[in-house]
Amino acid sequence: MSAPLRLGIAGLGTVGIGVVKIIQKHADLIAARSGRAITVTAVSARDRLKNRDADLSAYEWVADPVELAKRDDVDLYVELIGGESGVARESVEAALRAGKDVVTANKALLAMHGQSLSELAEAEGRVIRFEAAVAGGIPVIKTMTESLAGNRLERVMGVMNGTCNYILTRMESAGLPYEAVFEEARQLGYLEADPTLDVGGIDASHKLAILSSIAFGTQVDFSAVEIEGIERVSIDDIRRAADMGYRIKLLGVAQMTARGLEQRMSPCLVPAESPIGQLQGGTNMVVVEGDSVGQIVLRGAGAGEGPTASAVMSDIVELARGVRVPVFGQPATGLKKALPARTAVPAAYYLRLALLDKPGALAKVASVLGDAGISIHRMRQYDHEDGPAPVLIVTHKTTPDAIDHAIEMLPKTGVIAEDPVELRIEEV
Amino acid sequence: MSAPLRLGIAGLGTVGIGVVKIIQKHADLIAARSGRAITVTAVSARDRLKNRDADLSAYEWVADPVELAKRDDVDLYVELIGGESGVARESVEAALRAGKDVVTANKALLAMHGQSLSELAEAEGRVIRFEAAVAGGIPVIKTMTESLAGNRLERVMGVMNGTCNYILTRMESAGLPYEAVFEEARQLGYLEADPTLDVGGIDASHKLAILSSIAFGTQVDFSAVEIEGIERVSIDDIRRAADMGYRIKLLGVAQMTARGLEQRMSPCLVPAESPIGQLQGGTNMVVVEGDSVGQIVLRGAGAGEGPTASAVMSDIVELARGVRVPVFGQPATGLKKALPARTAVPAAYYLRLALLDKPGALAKVASVLGDAGISIHRMRQYDHEDGPAPVLIVTHKTTPDAIDHAIEMLPKTGVIAEDPVELRIEEV
């Protein structure tokens, strides 16, 4: 058996402590699988005195993660601090420059600086592994970089923020408005300190940008993701969608088209009985489509101590076995700059209008849609006591441009009481 | 970039030709991902003159796979001949002895001789990779040996024979009896030359035995799998199960218990709305449960040229990258002999009885179940014109022993017209 692999772990939150617990609990199992023991030399975190759910007494405490990353008695630096810059980034760079591989769960860091970090890693002959950065315990990074290496990938999509999926699922099951469930989620501790990262779709978009890079061999480009969060999803839309056999999910979709790379994160309608439609609560799902393999669906817990620590451990065991796969699946210097494209792939759309009680109102709406080249697949007008009438329209496949044009023209008819709501119906 | 990896491919059926086509079509993509070119030196198959859907003119033809496996200008031997013995086994052994790694899709070979082959591979310092042997394009081997390496695995289960799932799905959707759909499947070419391999559950059990070995660190032991095929599943059972919200699937389940390793392959009821219940046609699904990760669900095409060739390519790229993971996830010499255990984990059961029209008949049945310690969760008696009355019973959780005892006692009541049908309801 080879010499032990000695870790330096920075960041002792839920995930860091989860990793320590697995290393302690399954030492023999992991040694058998890795071909060598995995040990912890030293750890680092902001607050040494905080009470943590693991025995850290055998590990040296190092106040500065950058110092930890550079130590001679650390073979592998495990960065679980988080954040796209500051000490997380500095310590990862320091580790690479000191000739150490890096394992991280830091999606923001990779989404913002993945290209420069992977170039640095290659220049130093090291790698960065980050299975835990996307979809928690689901092995999506390994699947895309390794298992699907014989495929030209065509589309990758997924539900990758458990908090948003919890909120949307709970709104439907409890019949509660967004604001009420948001407050519940906050009290349950499901939300990031800055909740916009979750409900604004930022966190999920970091993940999507990373997957796009691997899928299409392009430099990670978070700034090109079209992002819409779930803040505007109303309980009305969830109910109306359910009436027609759909569920609303915060769905990320990346695909390479003739016009360029489309990356978007937005609330979409999906069939209620589809695998994505069935996803409840904090569970994540990633769907990858390749020219040979067809469609692969991966499902599991997207967050939490155990699942995320499991993903970090898979990277640690991989490096203990001496396996070194290029950071984004091929040499970083060979990754092309992606040409970002606004979404142009046609889809059906869901429109919700509040129609004033005027003669000819519906005809005016139909005429705007017709003029925009949009044909109607289904339409429902709901009962209403007084005030505007709720009207739901599901279009046939049309382009986002046509929908945008119609949305712009509808208020000019004078028969619409509120801004129309439009949601894309994604084929999954 | 390193020197090309030179393949010798034996077996040019659907999968072999699929691999050749990917290597030709995606040469650049694969070279970028592997860090080196992947080339084919020579090929071998039974019939040189057969018309095949790929240009093989650039490759040398070698009549004997064993000769191909030993050639100095072959770095990696790809065995796609199939079969548990004969030339498939001989050529794999020859390749390992000649110091070459092996990639294979041969589930029977691994299920029957996995232990001796992996010991041979280790003695020679080589590896055997076999992602395509289980569940086609689904990356289950890599997920279990690598992604879940930090977990103590608790249960692995799956629907791993597309033909059986096609037959069961089609029986339900078309309302056709088993024999009619079996004949359809034969005419569509979905069945193996010996159909017992499919419908008898043998093929799926080969796969389950391989997954058990990886999951529990035990020597692969196909002979210990309790196997029941789908031949006895009737359209009546499918309909009755559907009435109660279930579907019938040929489900493999392996779990390590205090009594030993339980491995069973049998038609089971699963909730219709569960991920496994939703599986239609030839699609496969594998569910793996670990102590940290929770439940991971993997879904995709379980057979066919593209998906299976995609899995073979993932192994080839892995070896081209210089990655060598132990055959069953840890050194073969460290794998323990499993203590096989007959299924004892309790479950609910579905019972279908044909009850004679006699006073007190139902009371006698209930009494037998009660005496066996089985309590009834739901019971339905169906309308019947004349003849025996169909009676369905769903039990509360009970043991297989209790069910076996009840099944033995029921005919002795004198109120049962046919042998009772019992199916396990698996919690998925």
Side-chain angles (χ1 to χ4, degrees):
Chain A
M1 203 168 270
S2 317
L5 182 77
R6 300 165 300 173
L7 311 183
I9 302 177
L12 294 170
T14 311
V15 181
I17 291 299
V19 170
V20 166
K21 281 154 79 174
I22 292 179
I23 288 172
Q24 294 177 349
K25 180 171 58 169
H26 289 328
D28 293 347
L29 197 63
I30 290 168
R33 290 172 180 167
S34 305
R36 59 201 285 202
I38 291 175
T39 61
V40 179
T41 300
V43 297
S44 176
R46 229 173 354 206
D47 180 1
R48 185 168 186 176
L49 300 176
K50 188 174 160 188
N51 195 12
R52 292 183 173 90
D53 180 25
D55 178 5
L56 304 171
S57 58
Y59 316 140
E60 197 172 330
W61 185 277
V62 180
D64 180 3
V66 174
E67 288 312 307
L68 176 63
K70 295 194 288 194
R71 281 173 72 111
D72 285 341
D73 55 2
V74 164
D75 302 311
L76 169 61
Y77 176 59
V78 183
E79 186 276 301
L80 303 170
I81 302 166
E84 65 179 80
S85 53
V87 73
R89 182 179 180 187
E90 286 160 29
S91 62
V92 166
E93 290 176 346
L96 295 171
R97 290 211 174 88
K100 296 167 204 312
D101 294 318
V102 171
V103 169
T104 177
N106 192 332
K107 61 220 93 168
L109 180 68
L110 287 159
M112 302 307 289
H113 308 294
Q115 184 61 26
S116 63
L117 288 175
S118 53
E119 287 179 11
L120 173 59
E122 275 169 31
E124 300 288 346
R126 312 314 296 181
V127 296
I128 307 169
R129 301 314 299 153
F130 51 94
E131 185 63 82
V134 179
I138 303 178
V140 56
I141 303 298
K142 190 173 277 287
T143 293
M144 290 179 63
T145 49
E146 303 180 37
S147 300
L148 302 180
N151 288 258
R152 183 177 298 284
L153 296 185
E154 296 173 341
R155 184 169 69 153
V156 54
M157 62 187 170
V159 170
M160 296 180 285
N161 182 281
T163 303
C164 287
N165 204 49
Y166 166 81
I167 291 175
L168 295 171
T169 308
R170 171 91 177 132
M171 284 171 71
E172 181 174 359
S173 63
L176 289 170
Y178 174 79
E179 293 72 19
V181 178
F182 177 88
E183 197 45 44
E184 273 186 10
R186 184 202 294 277
Q187 282 168 15
L188 288 166
Y190 289 181
L191 286 161
E192 302 260 1
D194 173 6
T196 316
L197 289 174
D198 286 316
V199 298
I202 313 289
D203 167 83
S205 296
H206 285 149
K207 298 168 185 170
L208 184 67
I210 293 170
L211 297 188
S212 289
S213 169
I214 299 170
F216 306 115
T218 50
Q219 297 182 9
V220 60
D221 185 6
F222 168 73
S223 67
V225 184
E226 296 175 70
I227 308 177
E228 185 188 335
I230 61 166
E231 301 98 327
R232 293 192 313 117
V233 176
S234 77
I235 181 69
D236 278 351
D237 291 317
I238 287 177
R239 284 188 184 131
R240 304 308 187 201
D243 278 357
M244 297 190 298
Y246 294 103
R247 288 220 171 89
I248 299 178
K249 298 289 172 191
L250 179 65
L251 189 66
V253 181
Q255 61 198 125
M256 186 61 83
T257 70
R259 298 174 61 253
L261 174 62
E262 294 185 4
Q263 301 179 90
R264 65 183 174 280
M265 179 64 59
S266 63
C268 291
L269 271 66
V270 297
E273 76 278 11
S274 66
I276 289 182
Q278 298 258 317
L279 219 54
Q280 301 285 309
T283 314
N284 279 203
M285 181 173 282
V286 180
V287 178
V288 190
E289 292 167 353
D291 63 347
S292 288
V293 79
Q295 189 184 72
I296 292 284
V297 179
L298 309 173
R299 178 191 145 126
E305 177 185 308
T308 313
S310 166
V312 172
M313 283 309 305
S314 83
D315 288 338
I316 294 173
V317 171
E318 179 175 309
L319 291 166
R321 283 172 169 161
V323 172
R324 281 203 181 73
V325 173
V327 182
F328 289 99
Q330 54 181 288
T333 47
L335 296 171
K336 299 176 292 290
K337 265 194 195 301
L339 174 69
R342 198 173 158 281
T343 296
V345 171
Y349 279 80
Y350 158 103
L351 299 175
R352 180 165 59 85
L353 311 175
L355 209 61
L356 294 173
D357 215 349
K358 290 183 180 177
L362 213 48
K364 285 187 181 165
V365 166
S367 153
V368 164
L369 296 179
D371 290 348
I374 297 168
S375 67
I376 295 172
H377 175 52
R378 297 161 75 182
M379 175 152 65
R380 279 192 196 184
Q381 178 165 336
Y382 283 83
D383 284 345
H384 60 119
E385 298 283 303
D386 41 30
V391 170
L392 285 199
I393 295 170
V394 171
T395 73
H396 280 291
K397 266 195 182 181
T398 183
T399 63
D401 279 353
I403 287 289
D404 286 352
H405 179 67
I407 294 289
E408 194 188 322
M409 299 307 289
L410 278 168
K412 299 183 181 165
T413 57
V415 300
I416 301 288
E418 302 163 10
D419 282 343
V421 171
E422 51 96 3
L423 293 166
R424 188 173 166 95
I425 303 179
E426 198 68 45
E427 283 183 23
V428 293
Chain B
M1 205 170 272
S2 318
L5 181 77
R6 300 164 300 174
L7 311 184
I9 301 177
L12 295 170
T14 310
V15 181
I17 291 300
V19 170
V20 167
K21 281 154 79 174
I22 292 179
I23 288 172
Q24 294 177 350
K25 181 171 59 169
H26 289 329
D28 293 348
L29 196 62
I30 290 168
R33 290 173 180 167
S34 306
R36 59 202 287 201
I38 290 175
T39 61
V40 179
T41 301
V43 295
S44 177
R46 227 167 2 203
D47 179 1
R48 185 168 187 173
L49 300 174
K50 188 173 160 189
N51 195 14
R52 292 183 172 89
D53 178 27
D55 178 4
L56 304 171
S57 58
Y59 315 140
E60 197 172 331
W61 185 277
V62 180
D64 179 1
V66 175
E67 288 311 308
L68 176 63
K70 295 194 289 192
R71 281 174 71 112
D72 286 341
D73 55 1
V74 164
D75 304 311
L76 170 61
Y77 176 60
V78 184
E79 186 276 303
L80 303 170
I81 301 165
E84 66 178 82
S85 54
V87 74
R89 183 180 179 186
E90 288 159 27
S91 62
V92 166
E93 290 176 347
L96 295 171
R97 290 210 174 89
K100 296 167 203 313
D101 295 318
V102 171
V103 169
T104 178
N106 192 332
K107 62 219 90 167
L109 180 68
L110 288 159
M112 303 306 291
H113 309 294
Q115 183 61 28
S116 63
L117 288 174
S118 53
E119 287 180 11
L120 173 59
E122 276 169 31
E124 299 288 346
R126 314 314 296 179
V127 296
I128 308 170
R129 301 315 299 153
F130 51 94
E131 185 64 81
V134 180
I138 303 178
V140 58
I141 303 297
K142 190 173 277 288
T143 293
M144 289 178 63
T145 49
E146 303 181 36
S147 300
L148 302 181
N151 287 259
R152 183 177 301 280
L153 295 185
E154 296 172 341
R155 184 169 69 153
V156 53
M157 61 187 172
V159 170
M160 297 182 284
N161 182 281
T163 304
C164 288
N165 204 48
Y166 166 81
I167 291 175
L168 294 171
T169 307
R170 172 90 176 131
M171 283 171 72
E172 179 172 1
S173 63
L176 289 170
Y178 175 78
E179 294 72 19
V181 177
F182 177 87
E183 197 45 44
E184 273 187 12
R186 184 201 294 279
Q187 282 168 17
L188 288 166
Y190 288 180
L191 285 161
E192 302 262 359
D194 172 6
T196 316
L197 288 175
D198 286 317
V199 297
I202 313 289
D203 167 83
S205 296
H206 285 148
K207 297 168 185 168
L208 184 68
I210 293 170
L211 296 189
S212 290
S213 169
I214 299 171
F216 306 114
T218 49
Q219 296 182 11
V220 59
D221 185 5
F222 168 73
S223 67
V225 184
E226 296 175 70
I227 308 178
E228 185 188 335
I230 62 167
E231 301 100 326
R232 294 191 315 118
V233 176
S234 77
I235 180 69
D236 277 351
D237 291 318
I238 288 178
R239 284 188 185 132
R240 304 306 188 202
D243 278 357
M244 296 188 298
Y246 294 104
R247 289 219 171 89
I248 299 178
K249 299 289 172 191
L250 179 65
L251 190 65
V253 181
Q255 60 198 122
M256 186 62 83
T257 71
R259 298 176 61 251
L261 174 61
E262 295 185 5
Q263 302 179 85
R264 64 183 175 278
M265 178 65 58
S266 62
C268 292
L269 270 65
V270 297
E273 76 278 10
S274 67
I276 289 182
Q278 297 258 317
L279 219 55
Q280 301 285 308
T283 313
N284 280 203
M285 180 173 284
V286 180
V287 178
V288 190
E289 292 166 353
D291 63 347
S292 288
V293 80
Q295 189 185 71
I296 292 284
V297 178
L298 310 172
R299 179 191 144 126
E305 176 184 309
T308 313
S310 166
V312 173
M313 284 309 304
S314 82
D315 287 337
I316 295 173
V317 170
E318 179 176 308
L319 291 166
R321 283 172 168 163
V323 172
R324 280 200 184 76
V325 173
V327 181
F328 289 99
Q330 53 181 289
T333 47
L335 296 171
K336 298 174 292 288
K337 265 195 196 298
L339 173 71
R342 200 173 157 279
T343 296
V345 171
Y349 279 80
Y350 159 103
L351 299 175
R352 180 165 59 84
L353 311 175
L355 208 61
L356 294 173
D357 215 347
K358 291 184 178 175
L362 211 50
K364 285 187 181 166
V365 166
S367 154
V368 165
L369 295 179
D371 289 349
I374 298 169
S375 68
I376 296 173
H377 176 51
R378 296 160 75 181
M379 174 152 63
R380 278 191 198 186
Q381 178 164 337
Y382 283 84
D383 284 343
H384 60 118
E385 298 285 304
D386 41 33
V391 171
L392 284 198
I393 294 169
V394 172
T395 73
H396 280 292
K397 266 198 185 178
T398 183
T399 63
D401 279 352
I403 287 290
D404 287 352
H405 178 67
I407 295 288
E408 195 189 320
M409 301 308 288
L410 279 168
K412 301 182 181 168
T413 58
V415 300
I416 302 288
E418 301 162 14
D419 281 345
V421 171
E422 50 95 3
L423 292 165
R424 190 175 165 95
I425 304 180
E426 198 67 48
E427 281 183 25
V428 294

